[in-house]
Amino acid sequence: MSRASSWAPPPGNPFAGGDTRFHVDGEAFSREEVALANRNAGLPLEALRYEVTPPGLHYLLSHFDMPEVDAASWRLAIGGCVSSAQSVSLAELMQYPTRTLRVTLECAGNGRAGMSPRYPSMPWISEAVSTAEWTGTPLRHLLERARPTDWASEVAFLGLDRGFDRGVEHAYGRSLKLAHALADEVLLVYAMNGQPLLPQHGHPCRLIVPGWYGMASVKWLSRIDVLDKPFDGFQQAVGYHYRKNTDDPGVPVTTMRVRSLMVPPGIPDWYTRRRLVEAGAVELRGRAWAGAGVPVERVEVGVNGQWCEADLAPAGVHRYAWRGWNFTWQATPGEHTLQCRARTAAGDVQPMEPDWNTAGMGNNAVQTLQITVR
Ligand SMILES: Nc1nc2c(c(=O)[nH]1)N[C@H]1C(S)=C(S)[C@@H](COP(=O)(O)O)O[C@H]1N2
Ligand SMILES: [Mo]
């Protein structure tokens, strides 16, 4: 595992040299960006129609390769600052009290392609969001059995996948503050929409951290380390920060920012994805979400810059899932611009322009669609 002290690439590291990626302007995507886009699928926006995303349509983000795991011999170790280190099999984990939560996950890099200049990485436009029913057990049950020591402050989660980023070799890992790790909604999950986890979503067991951007929900768990100091793994200490420039220590990326998306209306042109809609009443619909369990309170639809109130679905019991909305648009022949914008109960509103940062994270600017009405 990478530690802060080992960030300077050790001798013999074939990918030493730190960050070799430079920001780019314009719409031309590199071969590497296209290759990442082929590996990490997005939610086709018409699939926003499903309250719970069918598993094969759930967006995907994996940094390295999917590890090969034998569920029958897999074990999860819990150690570090605990009184009683644990090791559980999948069958043992399933004996713990079960909890199912409907959770909307969004990748922190969603919208990266809309930031200019752009950081070469997974070039999401707006499709890195989905909702699933995750079943597992609250992590606190295992932590309570392991009994963190009085000086424990943080819990690190290590995946079985391993690779290099910016010259640093590491297993994918993230951490949570101990108090957060003990919250009842933080789950060790082995099923998605009632089925065993698919290989790409972390089989046989992953973490789900509701309300946070997806990077916190570590897939393919191998080990949980209870720590007495902040976790210094690469994806925690170096990756996932909002930075204004490369010297900026930055602010850690945490909970999801408020956002809404609409199902593109009408029919598309195969290549450009431009839309054609027939004149008359058009039912626009979409979904809106925010992080940290804060409810979305309002969605507005912009028609050529004029904002109107959309109808929001009832809040319901799914505190960590997106909310549906719809709006009837009287479409008249010609060219039109459609937008949508959500606001939370805490008063946070989507901005019109992205809040630029070096890694292209947390872009929750309003979605804009160009529509031709016939
Ligand atoms: N072990 C591991 N966990 C991981 C990742 C990863 O690359 N390796 N990617 C993270 C990121 S950045 C996101 S957005 C979510 C995506 O989860 P999904 O692929 O199941 O949608 O997983 C997170 N957990
Ligand atoms: Mo992500």
Side-chain angles (χ1 to χ4, degrees), residues 59-63 106-110 112 122 124 128 172 213-216 240 361:
Y59 90 90
L60 202 63
L61 194 292
S62 305
H63 288 74
E106 183 183 16
C107 181
N110 200 12
R112 175 177 290 121
M122 175 63 201
W124 296 118
Y172 187 90
Y213 278 118
M215 75 282 158
Y240 296 102
M361 307 250 178

Side-chain angles (χ1 to χ4, degrees), residues 319-337:
R319 184 167 173 212
Y320 294 104
W322 54 23
R323 241 173 123 172
W325 58 264
N326 59 281
F327 176 80
T328 308
W329 173 39
Q330 298 299 336
T332 53
E335 292 299 313
H336 298 278
T337 303

